[in-house]
Amino acid sequence: MKPAIRTPLPGPKAKELLERGEKVLSPSYVRPYPFVPARGQGVFLEDVDGNVFLDFMAGIAVNTTGYAHPKVVEAVRAQAERFAHICFSDFTHEPTLSLAERLVGRLGGGYRVYFGNSGTEGIEAAIKLVRHHTGRPYLLAFTGAFHGRSLGALSLTASKSAYRKGFSPLLPGVLHVPFPNPFRPPLGASPEDVGDAVLDYLEHLFRTVVPPEEVAAFFLEPIQGEGGYLLPPPGFIPRLKALLERHGILLVADEVQTGAGRTGRFLALEHEGVEADVYVLAKGLASGYPLSALLFREELGSWRPGAHGTTFGGQAVAAAAAHATLDLLEGGLMENAARVGAFLLKELKAMQARFPFLGDVRGRGLMIGLDFGSPEEERPDLRDKAAQLAFQKGLLLLPAGPSALRIAPPLILSQEEAATGLAILEEVFRSL
């Protein structure tokens, strides 16, 4: 299959549906371009007018196994025929219990699991867990972080001030630390010493603003998602973890976007040789079915029955989809993400040499960011134009951060399909 644009975009059916939506849907919904899907197969999506697109965004890094994967479809069908929902907060059932056992097994044991419906819900549960267990009121996160948009999670989120505008006061006791971005270093640092500068800033914060013995946890994305697909400098996360341990501060790894194999390993933190006290998984865990998993060290599980709960979290059909997803990840998709991701990263870095407006190309596995502009100048105008041109040529992309495009396709992407996307990007960049 190849991308095929058969009508002006949006086509007549898509245009009609978009106009209908304007009359009844919340204005808070974002529409980066006028795409209205009808069906998908593998890494391709067809819209309501018959136009075919190569998907390099996977529903914001959600559709791990692509569209209509037969093993996921069969797992969902089989479980739906048995039962779809019995509240797991009240009644144990096998599909979700065995999923918890499987996730704990991947971490080598010693963890417990709480299931929710989304990454935001997982973060909210983590906030309650760490405050309840430690008795400490303060939470830390990075600028550029995205941890969700409900009020607790939004208090941690600092990727765009627009997300927070009009919703204060937010959760008290949340402080932010500059993220050690090697491409655009904060604190007047150089790319080489930005990690040192950020750790020094954190120590300064402990001396002047918040006593470290009153900080419950630091919330960390191993690779920032909405912040721009940003990687910290090599070795920074182990040093941060050591600093936190000295003060008894828990590390919460937000693996909502990085987890479930996207970086070529099940958890992105595995690349760093660091274990978190708490992990939050969602997005790609169940290949498009709503499910999150909060995994926390057994010794942190001091909250009482009823301290937290959910009606739909751990729903049986979503758990069945997660089992099928894990089967496929363990059957080769993580290795495929690493291999095809390395191919894409190499080719995109070669493009960077040909197109100077590509200031940075970075990533791991099938989580790659293209930053437009330079360390001194962000070019969101070029980024947004590139996304629109790609859409017109049959490639689906999404922005991230102030001036980056994210590449986050389904993990089933083949090298041939990746090459097709690269050819479209080459055309787009020549147009720019």
Side-chain angles (χ1 to χ4, degrees):
M1 190 178 291
K2 296 284 186 182
I5 304 303
R6 300 182 171 95
T7 72
L9 297 177
K13 293 180 181 177
K15 188 175 181 181
E16 178 193 359
L17 287 164
L18 291 166
E19 289 172 351
R20 285 168 53 190
E22 288 178 1
K23 298 174 182 177
V24 295
L25 297 178
S26 169
S28 63
Y29 288 121
V30 178
R31 300 287 186 255
Y33 39 77
F35 174 62
V36 182
R39 62 187 61 83
Q41 187 67 48
V43 296
F44 292 91
L45 281 166
E46 183 180 333
D47 76 0
V48 291
D49 293 290
N51 299 298
V52 178
F53 299 82
L54 175 59
D55 181 11
F56 265 25
M57 55 93 176
I60 317 184
V62 166
N63 299 310
T64 302
T65 58
Y67 300 93
H69 196 291
K71 291 189 177 180
V72 176
V73 170
E74 174 54 27
V76 167
R77 184 200 61 77
Q79 181 57 48
E81 286 182 348
R82 290 189 287 269
F83 67 88
H85 170 72
I86 296 172
C87 181
F88 192 73
S89 284
D90 292 329
F91 304 103
T92 300
H93 48 72
E94 200 285 331
T96 307
L97 173 59
S98 59
L99 177 61
E101 293 169 334
R102 194 168 181 180
L103 291 171
V104 169
R106 286 210 63 92
L107 270 61
Y111 286 78
R112 290 181 177 267
V113 187
Y114 171 84
F115 288 107
N117 300 288
S118 68
T120 297
E121 285 190 25
I123 293 296
E124 293 284 352
I127 291 171
K128 292 177 69 176
L129 174 78
V130 299
R131 279 186 163 176
H132 184 278
H133 181 77
T134 65
R136 299 178 175 191
Y138 287 98
L139 306 171
L140 297 175
F142 279 119
T143 57
F146 184 89
H147 297 293
R149 282 187 264 199
S150 56
L151 280 178
L154 180 61
S155 304
L156 295 166
T157 290
S159 56
K160 290 180 183 177
S161 61
Y163 290 151
R164 300 161 67 95
K165 184 178 181 180
F167 298 117
S168 291
L170 299 176
L171 197 68
V174 178
L175 299 170
H176 288 88
V177 177
F179 182 79
N181 178 356
F183 182 54
R184 295 191 179 103
L187 302 171
S190 69
E192 293 74 27
D193 65 12
V194 66
D196 292 334
V198 168
L199 293 176
D200 289 345
Y201 179 91
L202 183 55
E203 293 276 30
H204 175 74
L205 203 66
F206 290 156
R207 289 192 301 271
T208 60
V209 178
V210 56
E213 62 271 17
E214 293 188 5
V215 177
F218 200 119
F219 284 70
L220 162 77
E221 296 166 283
I223 300 174
Q224 287 201 334
E226 292 291 316
Y229 276 34
L230 295 172
L231 283 74
F236 173 80
I237 291 179
R239 294 171 63 201
L240 173 64
K241 171 67 169 167
L243 190 159
L244 298 177
E245 285 182 339
R246 288 202 301 273
H247 296 293
I249 299 169
L250 301 175
L251 178 63
V252 179
D254 180 340
E255 295 257 11
V256 170
Q257 191 159 174
T258 56
R262 177 145 298 279
T263 66
R265 297 189 183 181
F266 186 68
L267 298 168
L269 214 54
E270 294 175 33
H271 294 280
E272 306 289 345
V274 167
E275 291 184 358
D277 301 292
V278 181
Y279 294 91
V280 181
L281 292 166
K283 282 192 182 291
L285 181 59
S287 290
Y289 289 83
L291 182 70
S292 64
L294 172 74
L295 294 99
F296 53 91
R297 293 191 187 279
E298 285 184 331
E299 58 266 28
L300 305 184
S302 57
W303 51 5
R304 66 198 179 281
H308 197 53
T310 169
T311 297
F312 288 105
Q315 195 247 18
V317 172
H323 275 295
T325 302
L326 289 173
D327 289 344
L328 292 162
L329 287 172
E330 294 165 358
L333 284 192
M334 285 188 283
E335 290 81 359
N336 186 70
R339 183 174 58 253
V340 178
F343 166 74
L344 275 170
L345 198 60
K346 177 184 176 182
E347 296 300 316
L348 288 165
K349 284 184 178 294
M351 281 191 193
Q352 182 185 7
R354 298 196 296 275
F355 301 105
F357 53 77
L358 281 181
D360 196 26
V361 175
R362 56 194 177 237
R364 277 195 176 125
L366 288 174
M367 186 172 185
I368 297 172
L370 310 179
D371 211 320
F372 289 72
S374 66
E376 297 76 28
E377 183 185 24
E378 298 166 352
R379 293 298 306 271
D381 55 325
L382 285 179
R383 183 270 312 276
D384 294 344
K385 187 174 181 181
Q388 294 293 332
L389 287 171
F391 171 62
Q392 296 292 330
K393 295 176 182 294
L395 181 66
L396 302 178
L397 296 162
L398 283 176
S403 55
L405 273 180
R406 72 183 92 190
I407 294 178
L411 304 194
I412 61 171
L413 185 77
S414 70
Q415 186 163 314
E416 180 182 2
E417 291 161 342
T420 298
L422 288 168
I424 294 174
L425 284 173
E426 179 86 23
E427 292 179 17
V428 167
F429 295 157
R430 289 189 184 281
S431 297
L432 291 180

